[in-house]
C-alpha cells in the first residue's frame, strides 16, 4: 500500500495558554514549533499499515509525507523521515496563513501526481482547530472518507474496516481504496490498527514510535522535493481572513472548600446550582 | 442579503436537538433561512416539527438509502439543495463536522468550523472562532461567494419556535458519485443511556484517570442524584475506563453546563478548553496544586474515593 500523510506544524499545544492575543494578532513568541499531534498519529498509522507489526524494520509499501509550509517546516518533514517515512514533499507557502480550502486544493494536486492508495490526515490541527482539510480533499477527489478514525483494519482483499468515533458511539465503515482517512486520538492505542501483514492479537506499544539516532542521520539523505503552491493550486488564494483577535473572558478566582458539607452549602446558597 | 440553508440532523426518524443551535446561527447570520431535513424513513414526519421556526421553506429528502448517515450518500443532495443559498450551516456535532466541509469543497466555499458567534459588521458576515485551545478568539470573514459554517452547540442556545408554518416540500435525492460505491456502512454501536446527552446536559459529572476501573461505580450514584450526564478526560477514555465519546475537551465534546464536576482530573489545557464556559465548576482532587483548581469556583482537596460517596449522601440529605 502506498500512503500519503499530510503533516502540519503547530505552536506548542501544551503551552497554548501562553499565547498573547492582541487586536491584530496572536503572539506565539517563545512557543516551539511541534508537529500537530494528530499528524504524528497519522504517520504512526501509516507505518502500522505498511508493515508486519512483528517485523517492523521492513516496509510493505511506501509512506510519503507532505506539508504545505515554509522552509522551516522541513524540520517536521525530516523528523517524519527519521521516524520511518520514505520520502517527503514540501509545498512552499507561509503556513501560518492558509485556509482549509487552499490546503485541500494543493493536496489534491499532490494526490493526482502521487496516486497513493490512501491519504491519512489528522482530524484537526490543534492551533486552528478547523477540522476540514480531509473532508474537503475527499470531495475534490470524489474519494470515500472516514473521518475521526479510532481503529483501522486492513482486510485480506485490501479493503479497510474503519471504526469512527462519533457522538453517541462508534460508527464502522468499510472503504475500498483509494480513500481518505482522518485519525482521532485513540488510533495509536496498542490494538487499533492492523495491516494485513500483522497478526490479529499483536499488540503495539501505546502511542507513536520515536526515531532512533542512526535513523535521524539517514533521514538527512532521504528525498525531499519542493513544489510551488501556484503550480498545485493555480489561481486559488486564501478564502478566509482573520482580521481581529481577543483574549477569552477571564474567570473570577474560585475558593477551596474545607469539606463536603461546605461544598454542598455553597453550591446551594451561593452558586444556586442545586 | 444572506440566504442560509440549515442542514437538520435526523437520526432514526427524529430531529436531533443539535439542529436548533444551527437554526439560531442561521437567524443571527442570515436575512432568511430554509431547512433541509435529510434521512431515512420517518424524516418527512419528523420534519413537521421544524415548520414553526420561521424558515422560508422546509425541504425534505427521505430515502431508504439514507437510513444511516454516510457522507458520500448525503453530500450530493445537500450540495444540490444548497444552490441559490449564500451560507450553508449545521451544528458542529460529529455529523456537521463530517458533512459540511465536504459540501463546502463542492461549492468552492470557505468554511468556518465550530464557531462561537456570527454577526454582521457592515456588509460583511463575521464569524468568531475559538483558536489555540480556546486561549484566543479569532474573528474571520470568508471571501468566497458561498460560505459554510458549523455552530458550536454550547455557544448557540437552542432556537425557540417563532410561530408560523413554513411550507414543506420534497427535495429529490441526488444520485451519489463514484465515492459512494467505495464505502459501505457496517454498523453503529451506540452507547445506550438514560442520561441526558453530554452536549445538552445542565449538570455534568466528569471523571479522570484517577477513577480507574471504578469509574462508573463511583460516578454513577453522583450522576443519578444530580440527573447529570457523565463525561471523562482523555486519559480516562484512552485507558478504557469510559467510552471514547464521553471525552470532554478541545478534541472531544465542548460543553457548558450550569454545573460541572471535574473529579480526579488534573486540568490539562486540552481538557479545560472543553469545559471552561461552564457556569459553576467544582473540582475534587487530592493534589492541592492541580491546575484544575485555578479554574474551579469550588475546589475540594480530598481523596475522591471517600469524598464522592460523602457528596452523594450530603446531596441526598440536602434534598431531604
Ligand atoms: C492532541 C491531544 C488532544 C487532547 N485532547 C484532550 C481532550 O479533548 N480532553 C482531555 O481531557 N484531554 C485531552 N488531551 C490529554 C490531556 O493533555 C491530558 O493528558 C488529560 O486531560 C489528562 O487526564 P486526567 O486529568 O484524567 O489525568 P491526569 O493528568 O493523570 O490527572 C489525574 C488527576 O487525578 C488526581 N488524583 C489521583 N488519585 C486521586 C484520588 N484518589 N482522589 C482525588 N484525585 C486523585 C491527580 O492528583 C491528578 O491531578 C489531549 C492531548 C493531546 C496530545
Ligand atoms: N499546511 C498543511 N500542510 C499539510 N497538511 C495540512 C496542512 N494543514 C492541514 N493539514 C492536514 O489536514 C489535517 C486537518 O487540518 P485542519 O482541517 O486545518 O484542522 C491536519 O491534521 C493535517 O493532516
Amino acid at each position: 500500500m502506498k500512503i500519503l500523510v499530510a503533516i502540519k506544524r503547530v505552536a506548542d499545544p501544551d503551552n497554548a495558554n501562553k499565547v498573547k492575543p492582541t487586536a491584530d494578532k496572536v503572539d506565539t513568541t517563545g512557543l516551539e514549533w511541534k508537529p500537530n499531534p494528530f499528524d504524528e498519529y497519522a504517520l504512526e498509522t501509516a507505518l502500522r499499515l505498511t508493515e508486519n507489526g512483528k517485523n517492523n524494520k521492513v516496509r510493505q509499501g511506501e509512506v510519503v509525507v507532505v506539508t504545505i509550509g515554509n522552509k522551516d517546516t522541513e524540520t517536521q518533514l525530516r523528523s517524519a523521515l527519521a521516524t520511518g517515512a520514505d520520502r517527503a514533499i514540501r509545498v512552499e507557502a507561509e503556513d501560518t496563513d492558509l485556509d482549509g480550502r487552499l490546503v485541500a486544493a494543493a493536496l489534491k494536486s499532490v494526490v493526482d501526481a502521487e496516486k497513493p492508495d490512501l491519504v491519512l490526515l489528522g482530524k484537526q490541527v490543534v492551533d486552528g482547530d478547523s477540522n476540514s482539510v480531509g473532508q474537503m480533499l475527499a470531495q475534490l477527489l470524489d474519494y470515500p472518507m472516514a473521518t475521526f478514525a479510532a481503529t483501522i483494519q486492513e482486510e485480506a482483499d485490501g479493503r479497510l474496516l474503519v471504526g469512527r468515533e462519533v457522538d453517541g458511539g462508534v460508527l464502522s465503515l468499510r472503504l475500498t481504496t483509494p480513500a481518505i482517512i482522518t485519525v482521532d486520538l485513540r488510533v495509536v492505542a496498542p490494538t487499533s490498527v492492523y495491516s494485513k501483514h500483522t497478526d490479529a492479537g499483536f499488540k503495539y506499544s501505546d502511542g507513536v514510535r520515536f526515531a532512533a539516532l542512526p535513523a535521524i542521520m539517514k533521514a538527512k539523505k532521504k528525498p525531499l522535493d519542493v513544489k510551488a503552491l501556484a503550480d498545485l493550486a493555480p489561481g486559488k488564494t486564501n478564502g478566509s481572513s482573520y482580521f481581529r483577535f481577543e483574549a477569552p473572558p477571564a474567570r473570577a478566582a474560585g475558593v477551596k472548600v474545607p469539606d463536603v458539607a461546605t461544598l454542598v452549602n455553597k453550591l446551594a446558597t451561593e452558586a444556586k446550582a442545586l | 442579503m444572506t440566504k442560509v440553508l440549515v442542514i437538520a440532523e435526523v437520526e432514526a426518524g427524529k430531529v436531533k436537538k443539535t439542529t436548533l443551535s444551527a437554526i439560531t446561527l442561521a437567524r443571527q447570520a442570515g436575512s432568511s433561512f430554509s431547512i433541509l431535513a435529510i434521512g431515512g424513513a420517518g424524516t418527512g414526519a419528523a420534519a413537521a416539527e421544524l415548520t414553526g421556526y420561521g424558515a422560508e421553506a422546509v425541504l425534505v429528502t427521505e430515502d431508504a438509502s439514507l437510513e444511516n448517515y454516510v457522507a458520500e450518500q448525503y453530500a450530493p443532495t445537500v450540495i444540490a439543495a444548497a444552490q441559490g443559498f449564500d451560507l450553508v450551516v449545521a451544528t458542529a456535532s460529529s455529523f456537521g463536522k463530517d458533512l459540511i466541509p465536504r459540501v463546502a469543497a463542492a461549492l468552492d466555499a470557505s468554511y468556518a468550523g465550530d464557531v462561537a458567534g456570527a454577526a454582521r459588521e457592515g456588509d460583511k458576515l463575521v464569524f468568531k472562532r475559538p483558536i489555540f485551545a480556546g486561549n484566543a478568539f479569532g474573528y474571520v470573514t470568508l471571501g468566497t461567494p458561498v460560505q459554510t459554517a458549523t455552530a458550536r452547540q454550547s455557544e448557540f442556545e437552542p432556537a425557540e419556535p417563532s410561530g408560523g408554518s413554513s411550507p414543506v416540500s420534497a427535495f429529490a435525492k441526488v444520485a451519489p458519485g463514484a465515492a459512494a460505491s467505495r464505502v459501505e456502512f457496517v454498523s453503529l454501536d451506540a452507547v445506550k443511556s438514560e442520561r441526558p446527552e453530554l452536549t445538552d446536559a445542565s449538570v455534568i459529572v466528569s471523571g479522570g484517570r484517577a477513577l480507574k476501573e471504578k469509574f462508573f461505580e463511583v460516578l454513577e450514584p453522583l450522576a443519578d442524584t444530580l440527573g447529570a450526564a457523565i463525561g471523562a478526560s482523555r486519559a480516562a477514555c484512552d485507558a478504557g475506563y469510559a467510552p471514547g465519546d464521553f471525552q470532554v475537551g478541545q478534541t472531544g465534546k465542548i460543553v457548558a453546563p450550569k454545573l460541572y464536576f471535574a473529579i480526579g482530573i488534573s486540568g490539562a489545557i486540552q481538557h479545560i478548553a472543553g469545559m471552561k464556559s461552564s457556569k459553576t465548576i467544582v473540582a475534587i482532587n487530592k493534589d492541592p496544586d492541580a491546575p484544575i483548581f485555578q479554574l474551579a469556583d469550588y475546589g475540594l482537596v480530598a481523596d475522591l474515593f471517600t469524598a464522592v460517596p460523602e457528596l452523594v449522601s450530603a446531596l441526598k440529605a440536602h434534598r431531604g
Side-chain angles (χ1 to χ4, degrees):
Chain A
M1 188 157 32
K2 176 172 176 180
I3 304 181
L4 182 71
V5 183
I7 292 182
K8 187 184 183 291
R9 62 172 187 174
V10 294
D12 184 2
D14 288 316
N15 284 303
N17 56 344
K18 298 201 177 125
V19 301
K20 290 182 216 62
T22 54
D24 60 341
K25 66 172 197 298
V26 180
D27 185 4
T28 57
T29 315
L31 292 195
E32 232 180 283
W33 290 106
K34 299 265 174 80
N36 180 37
F38 286 102
D39 303 349
E40 294 186 289
Y41 303 165
L43 175 61
E44 172 67 26
T45 304
L47 295 174
R48 289 186 189 184
L49 283 172
T50 52
E51 71 190 13
N52 173 349
K54 266 202 196 124
N55 176 16
N56 66 14
K57 299 283 173 285
V58 191
R59 212 97 326 272
Q60 314 264 2
E62 190 186 13
V63 176
V64 182
V65 289
V66 56
T67 197
I68 299 157
N70 64 21
K71 177 98 177 136
D72 291 344
T73 65
E74 290 186 5
T75 311
Q76 282 73 35
L77 291 178
R78 288 286 172 207
S79 113
L81 292 171
T83 313
D86 301 290
R87 280 194 296 125
I89 299 167
R90 180 172 71 82
V91 181
E92 169 62 36
E94 208 42 68
D95 53 302
T96 46
D97 193 27
L98 292 170
D99 79 345
R101 177 174 155 276
L102 187 55
V103 172
L107 289 177
K108 178 190 185 283
S109 294
V110 175
V111 173
D112 286 342
E114 290 288 331
K115 300 187 175 49
D117 301 296
L118 180 65
V119 187
L120 283 167
L121 306 92
K123 81 160 171 177
Q124 70 195 61
V125 296
V126 297
D127 51 2
D129 277 344
S130 288
N131 194 335
S132 67
V133 170
Q135 297 87 317
M136 289 180 167
L137 179 61
Q139 177 66 31
L140 295 179
L141 291 161
D142 197 9
Y143 279 12
M145 69 180 188
T147 55
F148 326 145
T151 57
I152 305 171
Q153 190 173 349
E154 186 190 5
E155 299 179 324
D157 61 4
R159 292 190 298 171
L160 300 169
L161 182 62
V162 184
R164 305 178 51 225
E165 277 197 11
V166 298
D167 299 345
V170 176
L171 193 156
S172 299
L173 295 175
R174 185 176 280 114
L175 303 181
T176 304
T177 58
I180 307 282
I181 297 179
T182 77
V183 300
D184 214 323
L185 298 170
R186 279 164 279 282
V187 79
V188 292
T191 60
S192 292
V193 176
Y194 289 102
S195 80
K196 63 182 173 196
H197 313 288
T198 301
D199 294 340
F202 177 81
K203 274 195 170 176
Y204 278 93
S205 50
D206 205 359
V208 301
R209 67 196 68 185
F210 295 100
L213 201 54
I216 297 174
M217 302 310 292
K218 251 172 60 195
K220 295 195 176 127
K221 298 206 185 74
K222 288 188 179 175
L224 192 162
D225 289 340
V226 181
K227 302 199 184 293
L229 182 61
D231 294 338
L232 300 187
K236 281 242 177 203
T237 51
N238 223 354
S240 31
S241 65
Y242 285 82
F243 64 97
R244 189 169 74 228
F245 299 92
E246 68 188 24
R251 276 187 86 93
V255 293
K256 288 222 173 92
V257 292
D259 51 36
V260 166
T262 316
L263 174 61
V264 172
N265 185 32
K266 284 200 183 274
L267 284 176
T269 57
E270 207 173 80
K272 305 209 183 317
L274 296 180
Chain B
M1 285 284 288
T2 300
K3 288 182 70 183
V4 190
L5 181 65
V6 174
I7 313 304
E9 186 166 358
V10 183
E11 204 175 81
K14 290 213 174 62
V15 175
K16 292 193 77 176
K17 200 181 162 194
T18 49
T19 306
L20 302 182
S21 293
I23 291 176
T24 301
L25 169 60
R27 283 178 177 168
Q28 288 173 12
S31 39
S32 69
F33 71 96
S34 292
I35 304 173
L36 172 68
I38 171 168
T43 301
E49 65 182 82
L50 292 171
T51 56
Y53 290 88
E56 280 204 323
V58 174
L59 309 173
V60 178
T61 308
E62 177 175 320
D63 193 284
S65 65
L66 300 169
E67 184 62 36
N68 296 297
Y69 168 71
V70 175
E72 291 76 6
Q73 291 288 345
Y74 274 53
T77 303
V78 176
I79 291 159
Q83 301 308 315
F85 288 92
D86 308 300
L87 173 65
V88 182
V89 301
T91 292
S93 58
S94 56
F95 164 82
K97 290 199 263 196
D98 188 67
L99 178 64
I100 299 300
R102 181 148 195 154
V103 168
L107 301 172
D108 198 19
S110 280
Y111 167 70
D114 216 5
V115 302
R120 305 211 133 264
E121 290 185 22
D123 60 347
K124 291 231 153 69
L125 181 55
V126 175
F127 295 103
K128 176 185 178 187
R129 296 193 60 242
I131 50 179
F132 292 95
N135 289 293
F137 282 114
Y139 290 82
V140 63
T141 55
L142 308 180
T144 49
V146 182
Q147 309 186 5
T148 59
T150 52
R152 178 171 279 201
Q153 202 182 343
S154 63
E155 301 288 339
F156 289 89
E157 286 288 313
E160 297 286 346
S162 55
S165 179
S166 316
V168 180
S169 56
F171 191 87
K173 186 193 166 179
V174 173
S181 61
R182 298 212 305 274
V183 54
E184 174 197 336
F185 173 88
V186 178
S187 62
L188 174 62
D189 294 320
V191 185
K192 289 265 173 298
S193 161
E194 299 295 304
R195 298 185 192 285
E197 289 204 27
L198 256 180
T199 45
D200 198 30
S202 58
V203 184
I204 295 174
V205 169
S206 280
R209 192 198 310 270
L211 271 298
K212 303 230 171 63
E213 281 75 18
K214 298 216 160 120
F215 188 89
F216 285 101
E217 190 185 320
V218 173
L219 295 187
E220 276 192 320
L222 182 58
D224 290 343
T225 313
L226 293 162
I230 299 185
S233 70
R234 176 186 176 183
C237 296
D238 281 4
Y241 309 144
D245 71 303
F246 278 39
Q247 184 182 310
V248 170
Q250 181 190 8
T251 61
K253 294 210 166 97
I254 311 287
V255 300
K258 292 204 181 72
L259 180 57
Y260 186 90
F261 286 84
I263 298 174
I265 292 179
S266 59
I269 277 176
Q270 296 91 348
H271 188 79
I272 287 173
M275 45 64 81
K276 70 171 173 186
S277 303
S278 307
K279 188 147 180 294
T280 302
I281 297 172
V282 176
I284 303 179
N285 196 304
K286 70 175 181 190
D287 172 8
D289 297 325
I292 192 74
F293 286 127
Q294 291 165 22
L295 187 78
D297 300 284
Y298 303 108
L300 178 64
V301 181
D303 185 329
L304 72 92
F305 293 103
T306 52
V308 175
E310 246 186 78
L311 180 58
V312 173
S313 313
L315 286 168
K316 283 188 177 148
H318 171 79
R319 299 257 157 109

